[in-house]
Amino acid sequence: MDNNYADFKEEKLENVMSREELLLEHTHSFIVEYSFSKNTFEIFPEQNHYVNFDWKQLGPEREKEFLKTVFKPDVELYKHFIDLSDVTTSIRRSINIRLYVVPHIYEWFRITLLCYVNEAGEKEKTVMVFTNAEKEIEAIHELKSLVKVDLLTQLPNIDTFSMQTWELLKNHPDQQYAIVRMDMQKFRLLNQFYGTKEGDNVLRFVGVKLQECMDSEELYTYCHLSSDIFAVCMTNDMKSINRVIKYIQDSMDQYPLDFEMNMSFGIYMITEQDKIDRIPIVSLVDRAAIAQRVKNNYMNKIAIFDESIAAKEYAEQNVIMEMNNALGTNQFHIYLQPKTDAVTGKIVGSEALVRWIHPTKGVISPADFVPIFESNGFISEVDYYVLDKTCATIRRWLDNGIPAKPVSVNLSRANLYSPRILNDIMECVQKYNVPHDLIEFEITESAFAVDNVHLNNLMTELQKNNFRILMDDFGSGYSSLNSLRELTIDILKIDIKFLPGNRDDKRAEIILRSVIGMAENLGLDVVMEGVETQEQIELLQEIGCKTIQGYLHYKPMPVEEYERIVCEQADLTYDGSKMNE
Amino acid sequence: MSDLILIVDDARFARRIERKALEDAGFENIIEAKMASEAFEIFKEKKPELTLLDITLPDNSDLTLLKRMLKERPDAKIIMNSAIGQELIISDALEIGAKDFITKPFKEKEFIEKVVRVIKNV
């Protein structure tokens, strides 16, 4: 009986042991127990300890020996963790630390330490549970680093860059700094030609070269902003900045790819005021980008943000702030520039142009707002406004007996790709019940190069509805002839550049004759724009050009003035007050 | 004393990062060279257990140094190291006899794992 009981007890104990072992094995854990009174160490289980340490060699130097198993950068942390010198009551603490599992290879472990202290304040024993937490902690680290660094290049992202840059500025306040922003010209093309995998290789390469190059500077921060854009904050010494620029460009020149990898650089010198106002770092990078946009081109790859750019940026910002209000308070006005018969000089039609007449600033030149509207998309609103006012004007002409001649309105490039453009046009023209042959649409030549299939569809729809299409600025771009082959336009508006400066310019004259001849053969009408001298008009008459537009006959003018002239030419009495009803 | 490792890279930053990763992992016997000529002399004289060789050095082209080292010691353990991660270059280096290829920027842990694998001939 006694024997049986002893066997049962032993079996039971074995079961418990094996369950504990099972638990420890499955959680990749082991326990180290130390008794202060007996000065003994126990390891459980005796096998499978998962770390590179021989527990059997537990001599008096064991703690010192074990430090060799701790990953070097974590040693101080571990020492602090196991220091129990000021412990007076029982405690429990945990830490995550890297330990070598085999020579040179380390993994994360979570260590939980329990120290038992008796009522007399004497330490009795410590129990340390080591659990391998490699996968879990690596995943957490990976997630944490995603917030701070860019995954592709492993460089800091913009948020980390902003934080580090402010730290830099704060810690070294006497130093002057600059932001250098860089991107690669034609990076999109590189991705297209060689694939995004190679594009990513190139970006990683830029990242490494940036790190290598900044290593010789004393004070700096850097980041990979997005796509092919990188930024650096460094001392504003131009010699150092030029060295960085040269290093990066030279490195790119060595990249083994048959592709011209030109980098473009924008520089912004951080001012004391920027620091006082705590201008966001991202805005400073934007200023470097503005310098690039304004000044960089194929030849000029380095641009510094200066006063002229600052003034331009300020003016742009003003335009953007005021544009909506301007549209709502009718500050945009329609001016008409007549098109005339080259022989009689009489008005045969006109082009509607927009003028911004500001209540305090006066007339704002289209050159000062059209490019801004084009880049921010507001041009669509303005285009529609011009079309609406033009239709309303034509309606008034028809209702009041003023000779109604065709008016052409411009369709901006940004607007051409709007999905609602055709609907907008049809609705507007229907609203005023304007005969379609009195509205023409001018599309600038440079728009034709982008997506001729889309453009052709739009043009076909407009032409089906009896609107005529003009190709504006013909000859100013490089795709005109091809576009002429692909697209069925109705009227060619020839750019002033084709007009010979004087009658001795035989080459220009030959080109002009040929282009007009070609237009005739294609069945296109021609409008010659920019005619300014009598000599030019004589040549155009000789060549057979029928319609002209230019300062020689008329400048752009307010609608009322245009109406007065067409009435005079038709021998009608112009009554402005009635006409404007 | 642990195995001798030779780092060849013209960029101080790269040498520093590699040295730190190796030292953290417990490799203590590290030597550096920044030019191909200097690297080859060290390689001949000290016979490192492992060489970490940057592909683009100012006085080296077309994997010349790799070829020279392997001619000197055909069984040499060499890991190529480059910021240019093009597959063609990697396969060329491996075909010539490099044991592995590490693309910069690397994660410290992956770098050490490759180093250990090559040293152990795994």
Side-chain angles (χ1 to χ4, degrees):
Chain A
M1 180 77 177
D2 276 352
N3 276 350
N4 278 348
Y5 178 73
D7 286 349
F8 172 75
K9 203 174 159 188
E10 200 171 311
E11 193 186 326
K12 193 87 178 162
L13 195 64
E14 262 177 27
N15 275 344
V16 172
M17 293 295 281
S18 65
R19 276 186 204 129
E20 281 176 1
E21 273 174 333
L22 205 66
L23 182 68
L24 292 172
E25 192 183 325
H26 276 270
T27 54
H28 289 206
S29 305
F30 61 93
I31 299 170
V32 179
E33 207 172 302
Y34 172 69
S35 162
F36 286 91
S37 55
K38 296 177 198 162
N39 190 22
T40 54
F41 256 100
E42 272 187 74
I43 313 291
F44 187 81
E46 287 180 5
Q47 303 297 322
N48 298 336
H49 300 141
Y50 313 111
V51 291
N52 183 37
F53 186 65
D54 185 1
W55 298 96
K56 286 169 194 151
Q57 306 294 318
L58 291 175
E61 295 289 297
R62 64 192 166 241
E63 277 182 22
K64 203 173 152 196
E65 279 299 306
F66 188 73
L67 287 181
K68 289 183 189 164
T69 305
V70 180
F71 183 54
K72 238 175 146 183
D74 296 349
V75 167
E76 287 309 310
L77 201 63
Y78 179 75
K79 276 186 185 169
H80 184 69
F81 175 71
I82 56 165
D83 180 7
L84 300 171
S85 53
D86 54 355
V87 170
T88 52
T89 55
S90 295
I91 54 133
R92 179 185 183 277
R93 55 168 81 143
S94 292
I95 192 175
N96 293 328
I97 232 155
R98 285 161 288 187
L99 301 175
Y100 293 109
V101 289
V102 291
H104 310 298
I105 301 290
Y106 44 87
E107 289 184 359
W108 284 101
F109 280 76
R110 176 164 299 124
I111 309 174
T112 304
L113 186 151
L114 298 117
C115 179
Y116 297 94
V117 179
N118 64 21
E119 284 173 358
E122 294 161 338
K123 291 183 196 93
E124 286 187 337
K125 66 173 179 179
T126 58
V127 176
M128 286 171 79
V129 182
F130 290 74
T131 303
N132 187 306
E134 169 69 6
K135 282 185 186 160
E136 184 190 334
I137 297 175
E138 269 300 307
I140 292 170
H141 276 261
E142 191 88 357
L143 282 175
K144 275 188 182 167
S145 77
L146 276 181
V147 180
K148 291 180 190 166
V149 302
D150 161 64
L151 196 62
L152 180 69
T153 58
Q154 298 293 316
L155 292 193
N157 60 20
I158 181 67
D159 291 337
T160 311
F161 175 66
S162 294
M163 209 171 63
Q164 290 175 342
T165 304
W166 275 120
E167 282 297 305
L168 180 72
L169 266 52
K170 194 176 78 187
N171 294 339
H172 303 273
D174 298 334
Q175 189 59 251
Q176 302 292 311
Y177 296 92
I179 297 281
V180 182
R181 180 192 182 278
M182 59 194 88
D183 57 35
M184 192 185 298
Q185 294 173 344
K186 301 185 199 160
F187 180 67
R188 201 172 50 85
L189 271 183
L190 186 139
N191 267 335
Q192 273 175 11
F193 286 166
Y194 294 98
T196 49
K197 196 176 171 194
E198 189 57 57
D200 285 352
N201 280 340
V202 170
L203 294 180
R204 267 194 294 265
F205 181 80
V206 178
V208 169
K209 291 297 153 188
L210 192 58
Q211 285 178 312
E212 286 179 2
C213 150
M214 297 314 292
D215 194 47
S216 48
E217 294 293 320
E218 201 183 329
L219 302 170
Y220 62 86
T221 55
Y222 48 61
C223 75
H224 179 207
L225 262 155
S226 63
S227 179
D228 59 325
I229 307 165
F230 295 80
V232 170
C233 176
M234 59 185 293
T235 53
N236 75 348
D237 161 38
M238 271 317 285
K239 207 175 149 194
S240 301
I241 293 174
N242 283 329
R243 186 196 66 80
V244 169
I245 288 173
K246 186 174 183 310
Y247 187 96
I248 297 293
Q249 187 55 61
D250 286 353
S251 300
M252 298 316 292
D253 292 342
Q254 284 167 17
Y255 195 88
L257 209 57
D258 193 13
F259 190 87
E260 201 176 35
M261 283 198 256
N262 284 331
M263 299 294 286
S264 151
F265 300 87
I267 301 163
Y268 177 72
M269 303 293 184
I270 300 175
T271 63
E272 285 308 309
Q273 197 58 43
D274 294 332
K275 293 187 204 171
I276 295 164
D277 296 344
R278 280 193 74 87
I279 303 288
I281 299 297
V282 70
S283 302
L284 305 181
V285 177
D286 274 349
R287 288 181 192 170
I290 291 165
Q292 279 178 288
R293 201 178 67 221
V294 174
K295 287 185 169 179
N296 276 160
N297 54 45
Y298 186 78
M299 297 304 289
N300 180 25
K301 297 181 179 72
I302 305 166
I304 305 176
F305 189 94
D306 58 20
E307 282 310 309
S308 68
I309 297 177
K312 196 167 182 292
E313 191 202 5
Y314 181 74
E316 270 190 32
Q317 207 48 47
N318 269 341
V319 165
I320 291 166
M321 277 161 59
E322 295 195 30
M323 64 188 189
N324 280 306
N325 182 46
L327 197 63
T329 53
N330 293 323
Q331 291 177 28
F332 292 109
H333 293 259
I334 306 298
Y335 270 47
L336 296 175
Q337 184 174 23
K339 294 167 189 168
T340 50
D341 184 300
V343 179
T344 65
K346 283 192 171 180
I347 292 174
V348 293
S350 64
E351 177 183 3
L353 298 163
V354 66
R355 291 287 180 268
W356 184 351
I357 304 175
H358 191 277
T360 54
K361 294 174 190 161
V363 178
I364 301 174
S365 161
D368 289 337
F369 65 84
V370 170
I372 300 168
F373 289 177
E374 276 176 343
S375 66
N376 68 15
F378 192 69
I379 197 76
S380 301
E381 308 289 324
V382 176
D383 275 0
Y384 187 80
Y385 180 85
V386 172
L387 178 65
D388 187 86
K389 291 285 172 204
T390 302
C391 288
T393 302
I394 294 173
R395 183 72 260 153
R396 200 163 38 76
W397 292 345
L398 293 169
D399 292 346
N400 293 291
I402 300 171
K405 318 251 178 212
V407 184
S408 59
V409 295
N410 289 279
L411 289 181
S412 306
R413 215 175 328 178
N415 205 3
L416 291 171
Y417 296 92
S418 156
R420 33 164 259 225
I421 182 170
L422 193 66
N423 273 350
D424 285 354
I425 289 171
M426 296 307 290
E427 269 178 33
C428 187
V429 174
Q430 273 164 20
K431 185 166 85 177
Y432 296 101
N433 194 20
V434 170
H436 293 189
D437 59 348
L438 289 180
I439 293 281
E440 295 166 347
F441 292 101
E442 297 201 13
I443 302 174
T444 182
E445 184 213 278
S446 55
F448 287 87
V450 183
D451 179 359
N452 283 353
V453 177
H454 174 88
L455 210 50
N456 213 359
N457 290 341
L458 177 66
M459 282 170 51
T460 308
E461 284 303 314
L462 289 170
Q463 284 166 329
K464 265 194 217 164
N465 284 286
N466 297 322
F467 295 110
R468 302 218 302 165
I469 311 284
L470 289 90
M471 185 193 269
D472 198 5
D473 304 322
F474 180 80
S476 63
Y478 52 81
S479 57
S480 326
L481 291 177
N482 204 31
S483 299
L484 275 184
R485 188 176 59 78
E486 290 176 1
L487 301 163
T488 52
I489 56 157
D490 302 295
I491 303 165
L492 203 58
K493 217 170 167 186
I494 299 178
D495 195 82
I496 191 168
K497 289 187 191 72
F498 275 121
L499 283 174
N502 56 61
R503 291 302 297 264
D504 297 334
D505 191 346
K506 290 294 167 200
R507 291 173 71 87
E509 195 178 315
I510 290 167
I511 294 170
L512 185 60
R513 278 179 194 277
S514 308
V515 171
I516 290 178
M518 177 187 70
E520 254 176 38
N521 288 336
L522 287 169
L524 307 178
D525 286 346
V526 170
V527 176
M528 184 60 69
E529 63 180 326
V531 181
E532 289 178 354
T533 65
Q534 193 56 38
E535 205 179 10
Q536 286 172 336
I537 208 160
E538 280 164 14
L539 172 67
L540 289 170
Q541 285 169 350
E542 189 188 314
I543 293 172
C545 177
K546 294 186 183 70
T547 311
I548 66 157
Q549 188 181 10
Y551 279 22
L552 180 69
H553 284 162
Y554 297 107
K555 290 179 180 178
M557 58 185 72
V559 174
E560 295 74 22
E561 192 180 337
Y562 170 90
E563 288 170 351
R564 190 181 51 74
I565 296 168
V566 283
C567 284
E568 274 174 19
Q569 287 183 357
D571 291 329
L572 293 167
T573 311
Y574 176 69
D575 180 352
S577 59
K578 189 184 167 198
M579 303 297 182
N580 275 320
E581 271 170 9
Chain B
M1 198 63 140
S2 64
D3 297 319
L4 177 68
I5 299 178
L6 168 63
I7 300 174
V8 188
D9 205 307
D10 59 319
R12 189 182 70 171
F13 175 79
R15 296 198 303 275
R16 192 155 50 82
I17 292 288
E18 287 169 37
R19 176 183 275 275
K20 185 186 175 297
L22 291 167
E23 285 179 347
D24 284 350
F27 292 101
E28 292 154 345
N29 202 2
I30 298 163
I31 193 162
E32 295 178 14
K34 51 185 170 184
M35 302 289 278
S37 50
E38 177 195 5
F40 188 67
E41 288 310 310
I42 297 172
F43 179 83
K44 261 201 323 193
E45 192 190 324
K46 309 258 183 192
K47 298 186 172 45
E49 178 62 20
L50 175 73
T51 303
L52 294 162
L53 181 54
D54 182 43
I55 222 159
T56 44
L57 294 168
D59 57 342
N60 181 41
S61 61
D62 297 334
L63 305 166
T64 312
L65 182 57
L66 173 69
K67 289 174 194 163
R68 277 184 77 194
M69 285 178 167
L70 286 169
K71 200 176 169 196
E72 175 75 19
R73 266 173 56 204
D75 60 342
K77 293 169 184 169
I78 300 170
I79 298 180
M80 296 309 286
N81 197 347
S82 175
I84 301 162
Q86 288 176 332
E87 277 166 20
L88 201 63
I89 293 175
I90 297 172
S91 65
D92 276 357
L94 297 178
E95 210 167 288
I96 289 167
K99 294 283 186 278
D100 211 330
F101 196 103
I102 292 169
T103 309
K104 301 177 202 172
F106 53 73
K107 287 191 176 153
E108 219 170 273
K109 213 161 191 176
E110 287 164 14
F111 170 73
I112 291 299
E113 279 167 6
K114 281 195 178 185
V115 164
V116 171
R117 252 200 324 263
V118 170
I119 288 180
K120 284 187 174 171
N121 272 329
V122 178

